Amino acid sequence: MVKIGRNAPCPCGSGKKYKKCCLSPQQKKKPSSVKKQRFIPVYTELDQLSNSVVDLINENKLDEAEAVSRELLTEYPDQVDGFNRLAMVYEARGEKGKAAEYYRKAHRFALSNEGFDKASADWFLSEAKRMESEK
């Protein structure tokens, strides 16, 4: 079984990070050797901004979603979210070529930065290939 990274896109297709979507409560728990503490999820500004793009896409506010995605690229250049979200915006617009381009950028980013396992990086590449096959 392939382990999915917490920061990888959720395999369910929601567009949210795995840790903010389908990561099971058991997987979120600390090892038993760690003192039990009350877990309160912390949503950073990055998380909120990134997830707002998904909401805007779902509301068909694609120009706003693109603007927020570009803001992600500017404000958080050390995160993959801007590339991934722009790919999602272009996919929603039916611009498969541009979507593939940004999924490939996300793939290259994931390969060249720590915190991404091979499966996460490969997911971006598979999305790029899917977009190219649908052109």
Side-chain angles (χ1 to χ4, degrees):
M1 188 164 127
V2 176
K3 182 179 178 190
I4 300 169
R6 292 171 42 85
N7 289 317
C10 191
C12 78
S14 69
K16 294 183 180 182
K17 291 182 181 182
Y18 181 56
K19 68 182 177 184
K20 303 292 181 196
C21 193
C22 293
L23 183 65
S24 73
Q26 292 79 19
Q27 292 170 304
K28 291 179 185 177
K29 288 183 180 178
K30 301 278 185 204
S32 59
S33 63
V34 177
K35 278 188 173 179
K36 290 193 176 194
Q37 297 176 354
R38 184 179 168 137
F39 177 75
I40 300 172
V42 176
Y43 293 96
T44 65
E45 184 178 330
L46 168 63
D47 293 328
Q48 292 172 349
L49 202 56
S50 186
N51 289 337
S52 74
V53 175
V54 176
D55 295 335
L56 289 167
I57 291 170
N58 290 337
E59 295 168 10
N60 203 32
K61 296 178 179 178
L62 302 180
D63 290 338
E64 291 176 54
E66 181 178 2
V68 174
S69 297
R70 294 202 180 278
E71 184 180 344
L72 282 165
L73 281 175
T74 302
E75 297 296 320
Y76 301 96
D78 58 337
Q79 301 294 321
V80 73
D81 297 58
F83 295 124
N84 184 36
R85 297 309 189 219
L86 274 171
M88 293 172 65
V89 169
Y90 289 126
E91 182 176 356
R93 284 187 176 146
E95 297 179 43
K96 306 295 185 179
K98 280 190 168 184
E101 174 188 342
Y102 278 94
Y103 280 127
R104 285 192 180 279
K105 287 181 180 186
H107 174 251
R108 285 190 297 274
F109 182 95
L111 289 176
S112 63
N113 288 275
E114 291 183 16
F116 292 92
D117 57 18
K118 183 172 176 4
S120 299
D122 287 349
W123 183 86
F124 291 121
L125 183 58
S126 70
E127 288 298 290
K129 289 178 179 179
R130 183 175 63 83
M131 291 295 100
E132 291 164 348
S133 73
E134 293 179 7
K135 283 201 278 186

